[in-house]
Amino acid sequence: LSDLQRAVSLDSKIVDAQLLIGKLQSLPLGDESAARKALTKVINNEEATPDQKAEAYALRSAVQKDEKEQLADLNKAVELQSDKPEYLRLRAQHLFEKEKQEDALADIDRALKLEPDHAATNELRGMILLGLNKYDEALKSFDRASELAPESSMPYQQRGDLYRQKGDLQKALEQLSKALELQPDNVPTLLVRASVYYELKQPEKALEDIDAAIKVQPTLAQPHMMKAEILAATNHLDQAIAHLEK
């Protein structure tokens, strides 16, 4: 990074160097302010290609503090490179997280037309449809994602959530168990399966999953609270209090 910074200090118009600085500073341990500064220089550089500017807009959207600015950057990335499915996916993910499901679905369908055999795109489509309570369509998308990436645990986890929402706890359990076969230490899946076990009146198995989650992430508060609640609900109040006091 220091070499890149030295290079741009000598010539601030080196687009590739500024873009790489922006990428590096956008990482979790990077400096968001420095990332925005480098990426803005790429965007404002007349020598930057549309592809470079689109990438800079997409990267900058992730480090923008204002929600409107995030969406504005994603809009520019899509506008500059409308045939690139990755930018449509990014905007769809953003819209999905903001609970703008219909707009997210429009973007993800455009992305799928460009890249129909992309597993993550099919999975995201399923998540969006699940948010719209379109269970049958969502299931088809999750099934397609599994066909394209059979080693991925996420479509199984999503199907588990779908069946749980529909009230079919046994099918939910089957899917979540399959997800955990593929990724045994996935804490969110362990906690969802624990909840399903509890709903199925199997608190002992629920506690086993919660303990497994605590072993993986001992500082995470949620499994500790879940364990205390189940212990209290099953007439083990003293154990529940003792666990929270640890």
Side-chain angles (χ1 to χ4, degrees):
L1 182 57
S2 60
D3 288 342
L4 289 169
Q5 290 170 332
R6 192 177 304 112
V8 297
S9 70
L10 297 172
D11 184 355
S12 62
K13 291 185 178 181
I14 299 177
V15 177
D16 287 336
Q18 293 284 12
L19 192 56
L20 187 52
I21 288 172
K23 287 180 184 179
L24 293 171
Q25 295 289 19
S26 298
L27 294 172
L29 296 178
D31 182 333
E32 291 188 353
S33 177
R36 286 192 297 272
K37 183 177 179 181
L39 295 167
T40 299
K41 286 182 178 179
V42 175
I43 289 165
N44 293 335
N45 192 327
E46 294 179 357
E47 296 178 7
T49 66
D51 189 48
Q52 289 172 323
K53 289 190 177 189
E55 186 176 3
Y57 274 118
L59 287 165
R60 195 177 70 173
S61 72
V63 292
Q64 293 281 31
K65 294 183 177 180
D66 182 80
E67 184 180 323
K68 290 182 180 178
E69 291 179 348
Q70 291 171 3
L71 184 56
D73 277 354
L74 290 169
N75 288 342
K76 287 296 295 184
V78 172
E79 179 186 323
L80 285 165
Q81 296 286 299
S82 59
D83 60 341
K84 292 286 185 70
E86 55 264 39
Y87 299 134
L88 288 163
R89 274 195 299 273
L90 280 173
R91 190 169 68 179
Q93 181 71 48
H94 173 85
L95 292 166
F96 170 67
E97 290 170 358
K98 303 305 176 186
E99 299 185 357
K100 297 178 180 178
Q101 313 290 24
E102 295 289 354
D103 291 337
L105 185 60
D107 269 356
I108 213 65
D109 282 344
R110 283 178 63 189
L112 275 173
K113 284 182 180 179
L114 294 165
E115 197 174 17
D117 294 335
H118 191 271
T121 305
N122 282 277
E123 183 186 329
L124 179 54
R125 186 175 193 272
M127 292 166 65
I128 294 166
L129 289 165
L130 185 57
L132 292 167
N133 297 321
K134 295 182 178 181
Y135 298 119
D136 291 341
E137 289 183 64
L139 190 58
K140 289 178 183 178
S141 291
F142 293 140
D143 288 348
R144 180 61 178 149
S146 282
E147 290 173 12
L148 294 166
E151 76 290 347
S152 174
S153 66
M154 290 308 297
Y156 291 99
Q157 182 179 331
Q158 300 296 347
R159 276 191 295 267
D161 191 29
L162 183 152
Y163 284 123
R164 186 184 181 199
Q165 287 188 35
K166 290 183 71 174
D168 192 335
L169 297 180
Q170 201 58 51
K171 280 190 177 180
L173 187 60
E174 291 171 5
Q175 293 297 315
L176 293 166
S177 295
K178 180 62 178 177
L180 287 166
E181 286 177 21
L182 293 166
Q183 194 175 359
D185 292 339
N186 187 294
V187 170
T189 309
L190 283 165
L191 296 182
V192 173
R193 192 173 71 169
S195 297
V196 172
Y197 272 132
Y198 186 66
E199 290 180 66
L200 287 168
K201 313 298 183 187
Q202 298 181 54
E204 296 85 2
K205 288 190 174 181
L207 288 170
E208 286 178 12
D209 276 353
I210 291 169
D211 285 340
I214 290 172
K215 186 176 180 181
V216 177
Q217 281 188 268
T219 60
L220 186 66
Q222 185 183 1
H224 292 285
M225 295 302 298
M226 288 177 67
K227 182 170 184 174
E229 287 172 11
I230 291 175
L231 287 169
T234 53
N235 298 317
H236 296 92
L237 185 59
D238 290 346
Q239 291 182 43
I241 293 170
H243 180 72
L244 290 178
E245 287 179 343
K246 284 184 180 179

